[in-house]
Amino acid sequence: MQKTPEIRPSASAPGYGTDQVSSMTVASQLSGPLTALVSSAFVSGMTYGLLQFLQRTPSRGQHVAGTAAWGQQLALALAAIVILSVARARHRRKFGPRSGRLWLLAPLGRHAALRVARALGFGGERARAGRVLLALPAAALYVFCFWRAGVQVTAGLDPNFTANAWGGPSYAGAMACHYLDLFLLAAGAAWLMDHILPA
């Protein structure tokens, strides 16, 4: 009599043991389609930014004092530290300090993809049109943040692009400030989607 193969639950499934997840790599927990989506948004943004850079004007704009907004950015950085510390503590308390589960990359994980599929009605699930409509703005903002991060990489090479930007006039300062802003926006969008999509 042939032995029936054991069926193990997917690491993305709710209730999956933390000892099993801890042995998995980060890459193996990521969703291919979701990762491809944000990667293509980032590359698309870089392409758009490169076109902006190639069409730059030769005349240099003047930096206006006060436009760098370092005070506001410092406040945002402190807020980000507090938010990340609380979120990390809650994650460790819920799953354990060595669970190996995705944290910051959780919106791109296989479990997140499974929740999206459930909301859309795939796999025999009932579609949740209301939840999908509620989550769409947050999802669009999340993807936009990756696109805008790509734009900053190449368009920021134009001194006029960063002259009066937050963190400007330097490329590094503008990059740091814009990435901080985009990170907070993306984190907020991910938090909203986590509370809207079916578990």
Side-chain angles (χ1 to χ4, degrees):
M1 186 177 196
Q2 187 177 5
K3 185 178 179 182
T4 303
E6 180 183 1
I7 299 176
R8 295 182 179 274
S10 166
S12 61
Y16 193 78
T18 56
D19 56 334
Q20 292 167 311
V21 175
S22 62
S23 64
M24 300 181 67
T25 63
V26 171
S28 66
Q29 296 182 64
L30 291 174
S31 162
L34 293 182
T35 304
L37 174 65
V38 298
S39 297
S40 61
F42 184 81
V43 172
S44 173
M46 286 186 65
T47 303
Y48 178 82
L50 179 60
L51 294 175
Q52 294 288 99
F53 173 74
L54 293 176
Q55 296 173 9
R56 66 191 183 280
T57 176
S59 58
R60 291 288 296 269
Q62 295 297 315
H63 172 66
V64 178
T67 55
W70 281 107
Q72 294 92 320
Q73 288 297 306
L74 177 59
L76 285 176
L78 293 175
I81 291 172
V82 172
I83 292 170
L84 286 175
S85 299
V86 172
R88 183 59 175 166
R90 292 183 63 183
H91 184 270
R92 290 166 65 91
R93 186 168 59 251
K94 183 176 181 180
F95 300 114
R98 296 180 181 85
S99 68
R101 286 177 178 266
L102 295 178
W103 178 44
L104 292 178
L105 293 176
L108 303 179
R110 289 161 55 190
H111 182 53
L114 180 62
R115 294 177 66 185
V116 172
R118 286 175 177 167
L120 294 174
F122 293 108
E125 296 277 344
R126 180 175 59 85
R128 317 283 180 86
R131 288 179 181 265
V132 171
L133 288 175
L134 283 174
L136 273 178
L141 175 60
Y142 188 79
V143 175
F144 169 80
C145 287
F146 283 85
W147 181 85
R148 184 59 181 82
V151 172
Q152 190 65 37
V153 173
T154 46
L157 296 172
D158 177 8
N160 287 333
F161 192 83
T162 61
N164 293 301
W166 284 25
S170 72
Y171 177 88
M175 177 74 80
C177 290
H178 279 80
Y179 269 47
L180 172 62
D181 296 342
L182 293 171
F183 171 77
L184 290 173
L185 286 172
W191 181 84
L192 283 175
M193 288 187 288
D194 182 53
H195 284 74
I196 294 172
L197 293 174

